[in-house]
């Protein structure tokens, strides 16, 4: 555990930014803890009009580590506008990816507006230390972790590049990833007070260094933590069933695209306006049954978000 601590600590020390995208989850809090001597500032995104779970935690961390906290609270109108901008940057209409990426869109946009040229994120910890909830139930965890490490990508880096803000992710440091690859998969998952949890090796490494409420916080997707998940119900209420049926029927007939939800419809219309109809994959390749794009990750369509495919 001490070796892992030192490796992660060095990766954090090697970052140059003095700003962290803070969710109050385990990953960003570890980074905040290990860089606290630099008097870091935090940017956190909490939707103004939707339920979010991060607020209490980011306040706890910033107070505990004496960090300056900048809270971004996008309104409904700003979130809808931000979704359009995120679609333009990512080049897809993937509803899951857009809801999650909106969080980093607002954080990085704030950094840019404040003339901050780099920001640190916790990207990579879930992939290399088995943080995702679905991994808890995976039989062949070692194989699944190897698969994730081979296909992992982070939209925060793409958004940062687009906006001219460098995104630093210490968990993606080669030394950290190498150390994680040498940890037995069984040590990634553990039980705490009757709850089976991922990232157990990280929790044990920082056991006496972080507040228990953070240390044992369960994995929460960015969309839930920041509240951008509320877009799903909002768009369900804004688009009537008649509109949905009419538009999706026309899209299927004209574009050959099968739209799954009202939220996907909203995103697709903006995507099409910017990029046109997405290109269909070649005959004989593994193509998504909904958008016809080639699927390279076997179960998840990067273009439209369909799963499993």
């Amino acid at each position: 555990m001490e070796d892992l601590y030192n490796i992660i600590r060095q990766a954090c020390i090697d970052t140059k930014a003095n700003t962290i995208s803070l969710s109050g989850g385990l990953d960003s809090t570890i980074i905040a803890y290990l860089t606290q001597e630099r008097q870091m500032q935090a940017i956190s995104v909490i939707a103004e009009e939707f339920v979010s779970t991060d607020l209490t935690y980011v306040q706890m961390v910033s107070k505990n580590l004496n960090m300056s906290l900048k809270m971004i609270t996008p309104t409904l109108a700003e979130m809808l506008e931000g979704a359009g901008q995120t679609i333009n940057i990512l080049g897809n209409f993937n509803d899951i990816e857009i809801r999650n990426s909106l969080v980093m869109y607002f954080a990085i946009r704030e950094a840019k507006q404040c003339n901050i040229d780099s920001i640190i994120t916790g990207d990579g910890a879930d992939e290399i230390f088995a943080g995702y909830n679905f991994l808890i139930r995976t039989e062949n965890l070692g194989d699944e972790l190897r698969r994730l490490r081979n296909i992992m990508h982070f939209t925060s880096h793409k958004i940062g590049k687009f906006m001219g803000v460098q995104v630093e992710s210490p968990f993606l440091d080669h030394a950290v990833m190498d150390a994680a690859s040498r940890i037995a998969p069984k040590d990634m998952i553990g039980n705490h007070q009757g709850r089976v949890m991922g990232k157990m090796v990280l929790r044990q490494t920082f056991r006496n260094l972080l507040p228990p409420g953070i240390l044992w916080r369960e994995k929460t997707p960015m969309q839930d933590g920041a509240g951008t998940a509320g877009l799903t119900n909002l768009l369900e209420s804004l688009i009537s069933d008649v509109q949905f049926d009419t538009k999706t029927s026309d899209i299927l007939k004209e574009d050959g695209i099968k739209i799954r939800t009202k939220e996907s419809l909203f995103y697709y219309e903006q995507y099409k306006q910017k990029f046109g109809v997405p290109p269909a994959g070649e005959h004989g390749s593994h193509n998504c049954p909904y958008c016809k794009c080639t699927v390279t990750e076997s179960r998840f369509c990067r273009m439209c978000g369909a799963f499993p495919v």
Side-chain angles (χ1 to χ4, degrees):
M1 295 300 181
E2 183 178 350
D3 287 345
L4 181 61
Y5 172 87
N6 289 330
I7 291 170
I8 296 174
R9 178 177 179 273
Q10 188 60 54
C12 290
I13 290 174
D14 288 344
T15 58
K16 303 297 190 294
N18 64 356
T19 302
I20 298 175
S21 174
L22 183 69
S23 68
L26 180 65
D27 312 331
S28 61
T29 303
I30 286 174
I31 296 169
Y33 173 81
L34 292 173
T35 57
Q36 60 183 303
E37 292 182 1
R38 281 159 43 188
Q39 296 183 318
M40 304 292 284
Q41 60 180 327
I43 295 177
S44 298
V45 178
I46 303 292
E48 183 177 276
E49 296 162 82
F50 292 135
V51 175
S52 60
T53 58
D54 282 352
L55 179 58
T56 300
Y57 295 100
V58 297
Q59 291 174 330
M60 180 194 307
V61 174
S62 61
K63 182 178 180 180
N64 186 271
L65 297 178
N66 195 29
M67 298 177 68
S68 170
L69 175 62
K70 176 73 171 180
M71 196 85 71
I72 310 304
T73 55
T75 63
L76 290 178
E78 288 172 330
M79 288 177 66
L80 292 174
E81 188 274 337
Q85 294 298 324
T86 303
I87 290 166
N88 291 343
I89 295 170
L90 300 183
N92 64 46
F93 56 101
N94 181 333
D95 50 353
I96 298 172
E97 190 162 272
I98 291 164
R99 287 195 303 268
N100 281 298
S101 298
L102 258 177
V103 182
M104 288 310 305
Y105 166 79
F106 284 115
I108 293 172
R109 188 185 72 171
E110 178 64 20
K112 181 68 173 180
Q113 291 174 346
C114 294
N115 295 316
I116 297 169
D117 58 12
S118 58
I119 189 170
I120 305 175
T121 74
D123 290 332
D126 288 315
E127 285 78 6
I128 67 174
F129 290 108
Y132 292 116
N133 292 328
F134 76 88
L135 292 172
I136 294 173
R137 302 179 295 274
T138 300
E139 290 185 9
N140 299 313
L141 181 58
D143 292 340
E144 187 64 11
L145 285 174
R146 281 187 287 274
R147 186 186 74 85
L148 281 179
R149 290 165 184 165
N150 287 332
I151 66 171
M152 63 182 180
H153 82 294
F154 303 97
T155 59
S156 57
H157 291 246
K158 191 169 186 178
I159 294 169
K161 184 177 181 180
F162 181 89
M163 292 190 180
V165 176
Q166 181 184 7
V167 175
E168 298 184 277
S169 304
F171 286 108
L172 296 177
D173 182 270
H174 290 300
V176 177
M177 291 195 294
D178 181 63
S181 70
R182 290 184 276 106
I183 296 171
K186 64 180 179 61
D187 293 331
M188 300 284 191
I189 308 295
N191 190 296
H192 175 71
Q193 296 183 349
R195 293 181 298 164
V196 180
M197 311 182 77
K199 288 190 287 201
M200 188 56 67
V201 68
L202 277 184
R203 300 179 198 275
Q204 295 291 352
T205 298
F206 291 87
R207 186 175 192 126
N208 298 315
L209 303 174
L210 304 182
I214 300 294
L215 189 71
W216 302 111
R217 185 183 177 188
E218 294 191 56
K219 168 64 182 175
T220 302
M222 279 195 290
Q223 62 177 9
D224 295 332
T228 57
L231 282 173
T232 302
N233 290 335
L234 171 67
L235 292 170
E236 281 289 330
S237 66
L238 289 179
I239 302 172
S240 71
D241 292 343
V242 172
Q243 286 178 309
F244 179 74
D245 291 342
T246 301
K247 288 187 173 185
T248 53
S249 177
D250 289 343
I251 290 170
L252 182 60
K253 185 185 302 182
E254 296 171 7
D255 303 340
I257 305 295
K258 187 183 298 183
I259 301 296
R260 296 174 291 110
T261 66
K262 293 178 180 179
E263 184 181 15
S264 294
L265 172 62
F266 179 80
Y267 298 152
Y268 178 71
E269 289 182 320
Q270 295 186 71
Y271 171 89
K272 184 180 177 181
Q273 187 175 11
K274 174 72 175 181
F275 299 101
V277 179
E282 295 181 4
H283 180 72
S285 59
H286 182 197
N287 298 330
C288 174
Y290 293 92
C291 70
K292 304 298 187 291
C293 292
T294 298
V295 178
T296 59
E297 297 171 12
S298 74
R299 286 173 280 177
F300 178 72
C301 178
R302 184 68 61 193
M303 175 60 73
C304 73
F307 177 87
V309 292

